Amino acid sequence: NGATKNGQFRLVHNASKVDCPPDLFRYIVETHVDQVTEVEEVTGRLPLHIAAMAGSTQKGAGVEMAKAQSPHSAYHSKFVIDELLYAYRDGAAVQDAEGNYPLVLAINSGKKWIDGGLKSLYEAFPDATHQIDTDNIRASLKPAFSFTSNFDDGADDDESGGFIGEEAPRASEAQIKRDNHHDSIMLVQKDETSTWDIVGAMWANEEDAGVQMLGCISIEKRVTEGGGEATIIPAAVSGVTAIVNAMKNHPNEPAVQERACSALLALSPSDGKREVSFAASGAVASIVSAMQAHVSDAAVQEMACCALRKIVAQGGAERATVVASVSGFTAIVNAMGAHPGEGAVQKEACKALEVMTGFPDANLPDLPGMQTAPLLQMAKEKFPYCREAVDVVLTRLS
């Protein structure tokens, strides 16, 4: 088996073949980075070649393949190819046993220019275009482009921008970035886009705060409109880690943090079910980090307090302890102190403390020592709707 080495299973090669969850694939590459440069004994293929071919049905042992509908989600191929190129960029210049570069294999498999990873492969090794049949280059590459402005059949190729390489379609870097951003933004907002496709677009466009924010909004929308565990749990399996990744990549963007907290709030009923864990995924820690980074932002504080309350209500004493271990209680108290005149923040903070102090077995900090009681009293006096929660918390603290 080409995916084994001396009888041992090659994890990176096999993960490159399937629709492996993005966070898991990144972990596999990071923990088995030596395999990224290893070739299969028979085919001479790196994981990059395998990823380039993924989604196609191979005919025989050659490069010719049936251009089948890819089972991968939108942007999944780009993510996998980008991860492999990050670990071993020179892999784009390696030929397999039949002399094929990854770029050529990707084109023959029917991948798209942006979301399929062709652009990434081309930028890593442009000379791979020399293997493309220039007589049929227009027919070969036109389906790969997600944008169509460079394929006006009535325009002269030389005047309109021509093709990549000598005759292949090309666009300016600015236009490609605009099209990539536009394609991703449009994809995550479409009602017919699946949660898995939204997640794929978020992972493949980690640097784009707009895609991350709208992706969080779309995931939340599907969960709230779908209703029930049948919708929430499948969305959470792939969605929680994508949302956490968005929060980690854009810590200074309050809009991303707020919408991410809101999405995690919607997904909170899934915590502890199947492989979903708001503790292990870093969701709880990311929510608290958002509160610490944006103390002055009332919207972030309100949504984060609400999310923590629902997570603890779902997970009980164990989750209350986790929140406390990452300074969640301190963050909630700080939110009350930073926004004494914001009724919504005070209400959610008081309700969060009420839920979190309701588990005697939880390992919680000494709240009175953190000046909690005076803040609670102030909220009770200023906002009548906080009285019930405040009385409960003060009774438990006494």
Side-chain angles (χ1 to χ4, degrees), residues 151-175:
F151 293 99
D152 181 1
D153 291 335
D156 181 78
D157 289 341
D158 293 334
E159 295 179 358
S160 62
F163 298 95
I164 59 173
E166 288 187 357
E167 298 182 55
R170 72 171 180 265
S172 68
E173 185 67 20
Q175 180 183 357

Side-chain angles (χ1 to χ4, degrees), residues 52-77:
M53 297 172 61
S56 292
T57 303
Q58 188 176 3
K59 289 183 178 179
V63 69
E64 294 184 5
M65 306 171 211
K67 293 182 178 178
Q69 180 69 29
S70 172
H72 296 281
S73 66
Y75 285 94
H76 182 80
S77 292

Side-chain angles (χ1 to χ4, degrees), residues 1-10 38-41:
N1 187 338
T4 62
K5 180 182 180 182
N6 299 324
Q8 294 185 351
F9 186 75
R10 273 201 185 105
E38 295 178 357
V39 298
E40 294 179 339
E41 282 75 10

Side-chain angles (χ1 to χ4, degrees), residues 3 35 45 47 74 85-86 93 99 113 153 186 204 206 212 251 256 264 268 274 279 297 300 317 365 382 387-388:
Q35 294 183 8
R45 287 171 182 150
L85 285 173
Y86 181 80
W113 175 249
D153 291 335
M186 294 303 294
E206 296 173 295
Q212 303 306 308
V256 173
L264 290 174
S268 60
R274 285 179 59 179
D297 193 306
V300 172
K382 195 167 187 178
R387 289 177 183 172
E388 183 177 349

Side-chain angles (χ1 to χ4, degrees), residues 133-171:
D133 181 5
T134 56
D135 291 335
N136 298 308
I137 191 111
R138 179 182 288 272
S140 298
L141 285 180
K142 183 173 181 178
F145 280 73
S146 57
F147 51 88
T148 59
S149 58
N150 289 307
F151 293 99
D152 181 1
D153 291 335
D156 181 78
D157 289 341
D158 293 334
E159 295 179 358
S160 62
F163 298 95
I164 59 173
E166 288 187 357
E167 298 182 55
R170 72 171 180 265

Side-chain angles (χ1 to χ4, degrees), residues 112-350:
K112 299 292 185 181
W113 175 249
I114 294 176
D115 60 357
L118 290 185
K119 176 177 179 285
S120 300
L121 290 169
Y122 171 73
E123 290 179 340
F125 187 60
D127 288 348
T129 56
H130 294 162
Q131 284 190 345
I132 302 173
D133 181 5
T134 56
D135 291 335
N136 298 308
I137 191 111
R138 179 182 288 272
S140 298
L141 285 180
K142 183 173 181 178
F145 280 73
S146 57
F147 51 88
T148 59
S149 58
N150 289 307
F151 293 99
D152 181 1
D153 291 335
D156 181 78
D157 289 341
D158 293 334
E159 295 179 358
S160 62
F163 298 95
I164 59 173
E166 288 187 357
E167 298 182 55
R170 72 171 180 265
S172 68
E173 185 67 20
Q175 180 183 357
I176 289 173
K177 288 182 178 179
R178 286 197 303 271
D179 281 310
N180 187 18
H181 174 79
H182 178 267
D183 287 355
S184 306
I185 290 291
M186 294 303 294
L187 176 71
V188 298
Q189 294 185 89
K190 291 180 179 178
D191 290 337
E192 63 270 22
T193 303
S194 68
T195 300
W196 181 233
D197 282 344
I198 294 170
V199 168
M202 291 175 69
W203 277 101
N205 297 275
E206 296 173 295
E207 74 290 345
D208 194 319
V211 172
Q212 303 306 308
M213 181 188 71
L214 291 171
C216 290
I217 292 174
S218 294
I219 291 174
E220 178 185 1
K221 179 180 178 182
R222 278 150 184 75
V223 170
T224 55
E225 290 182 353
E229 290 190 357
T231 300
I232 296 176
I233 294 179
V237 168
S238 60
V240 170
T241 53
I243 295 167
V244 171
N245 191 56
M247 299 178 79
K248 290 180 178 179
N249 278 292
H250 300 278
N252 299 321
E253 294 286 350
V256 173
Q257 300 298 316
E258 179 195 354
R259 300 319 306 177
C261 288
S262 184
L264 290 174
L265 168 63
L267 293 171
S268 60
S270 68
D271 187 20
K273 299 177 180 178
R274 285 179 59 179
E275 60 265 45
V276 180
S277 171
F278 276 48
S281 66
V284 172
S286 294
I287 292 171
V288 174
S289 294
M291 298 179 72
Q292 294 168 337
H294 302 281
V295 177
S296 62
D297 193 306
V300 172
Q301 300 302 313
E302 177 190 352
M303 195 56 64
C305 286
C306 189
L308 290 177
R309 171 173 61 84
K310 290 295 292 291
I311 291 170
V312 173
Q314 172 71 19
E318 181 181 351
R319 283 295 179 264
T321 300
V322 171
V323 172
S325 71
V326 294
S327 303
F329 276 80
T330 302
I332 295 171
V333 174
N334 287 343
M336 297 182 69
H339 301 278
E342 293 287 346
V345 175
Q346 297 297 314
K347 176 182 177 181
E348 290 302 334
C350 290

